[in-house]
Each structure stands twice: as structure tokens, then as C-alpha cells.
Amino acid sequence: MGRKESSQLKRVHRIESLQIQKIPQSGRPGYHMSSPVGWMNDPNGFSVFQGEYHLFFQYHPYSGAWGPMHWGHCKTRDFIKWEYLPAAMAPDESYDEGGCYSGSALETEDGRHVLIYTGVADRYLEDGTHYYRQMQCMAVGDGRDYEKFEGNPVITGETLPEGASVEDFRDPKVWQDEEGCWLVVGNRAADGSGQILLYKSKDLERWEFVTVLDRSENRYGKMWECPDFFPLDGRQILLVSPQDMRAEALEFHNGNNSIYLAGTYDAKNHQFHREMVKSLDYGLDFYAPQTLLTPDGRRIMIGWMQSWDAKIAPAELGWVGMMTIPRELHFENGRLYQRPVRELEAYRSGQVVFQNVTIRESTELEGVRGRQIDLTVEITGFDFEHFRIQFASSGQYCMVLQYSTKRGCLTIDRTHSGLIRDVVCRRKMEVRPMETEDQGRCLRLRLLLDKYSAEIFVNDGESVMSSVFYTPQEADRILFDTDGTACIHVTKYDIAEEK
Ligand code: FRU
């Protein structure tokens, strides 16, 4: 595209070309996208461009910790195999000197790839006061090189409704329909808690404030980060990632959560009517998800598989931060379902099946082990109080998944995964067996294990828990155990790195 690259962006490209090759594939997740080098957080700009899926991300390639934000970049054809591309943006303008924060992307009819992101101005003025503002900016590219718009910023705090914060105003998610372009963006209302604003534009350059779609009113945490807003199976879904929430039963945990608000949308009057609020993921590591719509009509979500509160990645790996498996979303049985993208199935091999196994004591099944596997365990006999699956297990280490019939809850526990930090290690969620036609009462657990993570999909995706852990790879045994008698069916596949 022949653009002028800033010295900041050139430097990052040099770091990438020197450092990425030093990180061996064997030290990366097998099929999850991981940071090319250094730190990564939120997924950004998850979009289709020229028939490929692009993913950008919050990126600080200089270290394994958060720092002034760049936009890293990669793409894929099948959501499984990712190709790194040179970083797309560096904080190199007065309106984003404090960082190029989260945002989104779309492909225009005339073939441009447009990025809409939050620029952070952060400096001390001559008179000693601190000037800090978040505003929405644009960059345009060809799938590889991106140039910031000379008219930036495209949305400033001046457009905000009465009492809204000009400092917490970030993470625009853009989309287009017959009427024009729209975006939702996170903000803080006069009561100090989150709200989601809707803006409209004809040309992506001039934006008009439309309405407040929903607000926390201090009920669901403080600042609402990283919104997404889309129709799904007859409902309208608003995703937000609230900061500073308080735990509530097993539904929400303390700190940053990612939640979905499901309801209806009156598009004519821009009114969102919220009907329910639930957690998106009940594990230890999930935040700031974003979705795209595939050409075949699937709504796919990807999240940052890490927590702001527990930074446990070992520095030796050279990269910090992974994304979840992209997940197909559906609204069924009155709630949001998530299932790993079907493209993953092309990478499965070596099926091992066990039917009707009775478990009374700690049991291993031949061929059922590994750290890069797709494992389904169906429980159909429930004569027990607790049933446990230990994975990533060796004499010294283990990850534990435990189902309690009495409480109807599933617990994930990484206490003995080899951690050396005193961080939150356990999380629980409510789970009930399904009534199935062929198997009667059945609790179906699908464990997607990769070298450093586990994503547990319950009952065909009605709830999910995702957690990272960095246990040595040799710990690859799987043990089933119970305090009574359980009947289980097991299907296991290895997941290869090549199709
Ligand atoms: C969410 C977030 C966003 C912000 C970005 C900064 O994790 O705090 O609100 O844009 O990270 O890296």
C-alpha cells in the first residue's frame, strides 16, 4: 500500500522479525492462537476480509507485561491455523500516544479494511495538569498495512450525553447494514457505572450519537468494557465485560467478568429491552470477547483466555496471552450456547471409544491420555456424590474437574497444576444432567485440552468454563474417580497441528 511507517511501528516490526522465530512451535499452544511475542490481551478487529478471517489484538511486544498498546495482527482460513502478520498499529500519534486500545473492523463495499479503535491521549500539559482522554479513531488498510485516518479522532467526548465520562470511553464495535454503519462503545455514566452507547454514520468518518442502549446502574459492575451487539436466533444479544463486579452465587465472580444480556431490539426506535443477564464463561480465564459473522451465517465468538487478576504465564515461553477456541453461538432453550467451531473436527484423529464403563475407584482407560485432545465424557449412571476427572496429571501434578450431584455443580481446580503464585485456583458453576432420548439422564462434558489450557463445554455448550495452566507437558494422564459408582462413556481424539 506504500504507506509511511512511523519509527515506533518500524521498531516493532524489527522486534517481530527477530523474536518470533526464536520461540519454537513446541513451546506454543497446539491449536490456540497465542501472542507472537510478549504480551497480548483483548481480541480486536475480528472480521472477514477478502475471504479470510482477520484477528487483531491488544499487544505489547516489548515485554511479558501490559504496556502502551499496539495492535498485533494475524489471520486464518479455518479459525484453527493462524498466520502472524506484521503489527498493524503502534501508538504514534498525539491522539493515541497512550495506546491504541481495543476496537473492531469491517470490510467496506469498495474493498477497504477499516479499523475503528480507541485512541488514548495521555500527557502532562505546560500548566502541570494531566490531560487524559479516550476517543474513537480510524485506520484503513489492505489486510496487511494500515494507515491512520488524517481526520482522527472520528468520535470525541464532545458527542457524549450529559454526565458521561470522557476518560472511560472505549472499545467500539462496528457493523454495517442497509441503513449505514453503527457502533456500540463502552462508557461510564454520571453514576460512575457502565453504559453502552450507540452511534451511527454514513461514511465511517462522521458519527452521530444515537442513544444509550443499556446501563449497569451499579448493578453489574463499574465500567463496561468491550461491548458487542448482534441478533442471534430471534434474540438480541449484548456482550459486555464489566470491571469491578461483586460475586453473586455461582453466577458472577469478583472482579472482571464477561456477561451477556439477552433481550429484544426495536431497531426503529433503537430500544434494547433486556430480559436476562448471565455469565459467558464460568472458568478462571475469559475476558473481552468479540464476534464476527461468517459468510455462511455463523456467529463466532473469540475471547482472551486470561484474567487481569491472575498473571501466571511463565516468562520463559516468550509469549504471554492466548485466545479461546473460536466458538459458534446459538440461542436455545432460553440461553446462550457455545460450541467449538466445527472446523476443529478436521484436525481430529486417533479416535478412542469406551462405552458403559463402570467407575468405582480411580481408573485409567487405555489410550485416554494426552494434552492436546478433544475428550467427551458422558455420565449416565449417578450413584455417587462426587465424580472426578483428573487431567494433565502425573505423580506431582493434576488438574481436577469435579461434579457434585448433591449441589449440582461442577468445579475446576488448578491448585496442583504447578503454579508458583497464590492466585484464585478454583471456580464452580451450576450444572444439571440433561434428559436425553437415547441415554436417559446424561451429563455431557466435552474437554478441549491444549498444552496450556482447558475449555470445558457442558451439555452441548449450555455452559462453559475456560482456564489456563502451565503444567509440564509430560503430565498427560487422565484418571476417573468417584466416591460411589458412575457409569460413563468416553470418546477421545488427538488434535493435530496440521490437518
Ligand atoms: C479490556 C481493556 C479495554 C481496553 C484494553 C486496553 O481488557 O481494558 O477496555 O481497550 O483492555 O488494553
Side-chain angles (χ1 to χ4, degrees):
M1 209 170 70
R3 68 165 173 172
K4 35 181 188 354
E5 254 181 26
S6 66
S7 58
Q8 291 93 325
L9 193 58
K10 270 197 196 128
R11 192 163 61 212
V12 166
H13 290 166
R14 252 178 260 129
I15 290 177
E16 290 183 315
S17 60
L18 288 174
Q19 300 297 331
I20 296 177
Q21 49 169 349
K22 291 193 189 152
I23 303 176
Q25 180 50 42
S26 60
R28 287 188 179 279
Y31 58 98
H32 285 82
M33 189 269 165
S34 58
S35 177
V37 54
W39 168 272
M40 169 175 92
N41 55 285
D42 313 356
N44 294 160
F46 191 35
S47 56
V48 183
F49 182 69
Q50 293 179 351
E52 295 180 303
Y53 305 112
H54 284 253
L55 178 69
F56 303 80
F57 43 90
Q58 292 286 281
Y59 186 34
H60 187 247
Y62 293 99
S63 77
W66 191 92
M69 280 290 117
H70 299 65
W71 270 41
H73 188 193
C74 60
K75 66 177 183 178
T76 180
R77 288 180 180 279
D78 64 5
F79 299 112
I80 305 296
K81 233 185 142 41
W82 297 91
E83 179 192 337
Y84 292 133
L85 294 167
M89 293 194 283
D92 51 17
E93 296 285 349
S94 57
Y95 52 78
D96 63 18
E97 64 204 346
C100 301
Y101 276 19
S102 284
S104 52
L106 61 75
E107 179 171 26
T108 60
E109 270 157 26
D110 59 4
R112 295 172 302 149
H113 201 197
V114 174
L115 315 181
I116 305 277
Y117 69 102
T118 300
V120 179
D122 184 359
R123 57 180 168 271
Y124 282 89
L125 303 179
E126 289 296 315
D127 64 5
T129 54
H130 186 206
Y131 178 78
Y132 185 94
R133 291 279 183 283
Q134 295 186 342
M135 50 210 142
Q136 317 322 318
C137 303
M138 178 166 84
V140 181
D142 60 1
R144 190 178 180 90
D145 296 320
Y146 294 80
E147 198 161 355
K148 290 176 186 167
F149 175 53
E150 57 203 12
N152 275 343
V154 293
I155 310 180
T156 66
E158 278 154 38
T159 59
L160 286 166
E162 181 77 28
S165 165
V166 293
E167 299 184 342
D168 285 312
F169 179 33
R170 58 182 178 269
D171 311 336
K173 172 72 200 273
V174 65
W175 73 96
Q176 197 168 13
D177 64 17
E178 315 72 51
E179 271 187 67
C181 300
W182 305 89
L183 68 77
V184 283
V185 59
N187 180 237
R188 229 188 238 256
D191 69 4
S193 72
Q195 58 181 357
I196 300 302
L197 312 178
L198 177 72
Y199 281 80
K200 183 179 184 189
S201 170
K202 291 242 163 297
D203 55 11
L204 295 161
E205 296 175 13
R206 278 156 299 192
W207 291 89
E208 188 188 315
F209 169 71
V210 181
T211 193
V212 177
L213 282 177
D214 205 347
R215 13 170 97 83
S216 168
E217 289 168 325
N218 281 305
R219 170 74 180 79
Y220 299 103
K222 290 289 178 185
M223 173 62 183
W224 277 7
E225 301 188 309
C226 301
D228 201 340
F229 191 58
F230 50 88
L232 186 73
D233 300 322
R235 290 301 166 100
Q236 187 73 19
I237 307 291
L238 177 61
L239 306 183
V240 295
S241 292
Q243 293 179 314
D244 309 316
M245 270 181 92
R246 291 219 169 78
E248 230 176 81
L250 295 184
E251 194 57 41
F252 306 119
H253 55 83
N254 294 323
N256 291 52
N257 285 240
S258 285
I259 62 177
Y260 69 91
L261 301 84
T264 56
Y265 186 49
D266 168 1
K268 222 169 116 216
N269 299 304
H270 314 297
Q271 297 290 314
F272 174 62
H273 299 284
R274 180 214 300 172
E275 286 160 5
M276 62 183 281
V277 183
K278 266 184 149 346
S279 254
L280 271 168
D281 190 299
Y282 296 87
L284 294 152
D285 297 284
F286 184 88
Y287 199 62
Q290 198 172 80
T291 71
L292 63 65
L293 192 61
T294 59
D296 62 4
R298 288 177 294 157
R299 179 63 61 176
I300 311 280
M301 177 179 78
I302 193 166
W304 177 42
M305 194 157 47
Q306 192 165 300
S307 149
W308 280 116
D309 297 313
K311 294 165 191 154
I312 60 167
E316 312 82 83
L317 292 172
W319 55 271
V320 172
M322 288 176 267
M323 296 299 175
T324 64
I325 188 85
R327 303 171 182 174
E328 298 182 13
L329 300 185
H330 278 289
F331 201 87
E332 295 167 16
N333 307 321
R335 63 186 297 165
L336 191 78
Y337 275 68
Q338 304 173 41
R339 300 187 182 104
V341 278
R342 60 194 67 166
E343 284 84 346
L344 180 65
E345 287 157 31
Y347 290 80
R348 299 196 303 202
S349 66
Q351 191 196 48
V352 176
V353 179
F354 286 88
Q355 296 276 12
N356 291 311
V357 184
T358 304
I359 305 289
R360 287 201 186 85
E361 60 199 348
S362 182
T363 306
E364 286 187 78
L365 300 173
E366 174 139 16
V368 179
R369 66 190 300 160
R371 287 287 289 274
Q372 218 173 290
I373 61 172
D374 185 346
L375 174 71
T376 297
V377 179
E378 293 168 305
I379 310 172
T380 53
F382 292 88
D383 189 12
F384 58 81
E385 227 175 83
H386 298 107
F387 175 80
R388 289 164 29 115
I389 305 174
Q390 281 186 33
F391 57 94
S393 172
S394 65
Q396 195 177 1
Y397 305 110
C398 70
M399 288 286 294
V400 179
L401 196 62
Q402 173 167 291
Y403 179 61
S404 154
T405 44
K406 215 168 168 184
R407 299 191 165 181
C409 88
L410 187 69
T411 307
I412 191 160
D413 186 346
R414 67 175 173 201
T415 307
H416 299 289
S417 67
L419 278 165
I420 52 164
R421 297 273 169 262
D422 188 20
V423 295
V424 179
C425 280
R426 211 173 296 140
R427 208 152 267 163
K428 297 174 192 284
M429 66 176 172
E430 265 179 45
V431 161
R432 300 277 167 200
M434 309 179 279
E435 286 303 329
T436 63
E437 266 173 32
D438 47 339
Q439 290 167 301
R441 249 175 105 215
C442 172
L443 178 66
R444 194 169 290 148
L445 306 173
R446 181 172 175 195
L447 284 70
L448 271 195
L449 305 188
D450 200 343
K451 286 183 202 140
Y452 310 103
S453 63
E455 290 159 279
I456 320 294
F457 295 82
V458 178
N459 293 342
D460 301 324
E462 81 177 16
S463 52
V464 189
M465 51 191 358
S466 307
S467 295
V468 302
F469 55 94
Y470 296 89
T471 311
Q473 298 303 310
E474 304 74 66
D476 70 345
R477 290 166 60 191
I478 295 175
L479 289 91
F480 304 96
D481 198 3
T482 173
D483 52 11
T485 308
C487 177
I488 64 169
H489 315 271
V490 176
T491 309
K492 184 219 112 176
Y493 298 91
D494 293 315
I495 302 178
E497 288 173 24
E498 301 293 333
K499 269 197 257 193

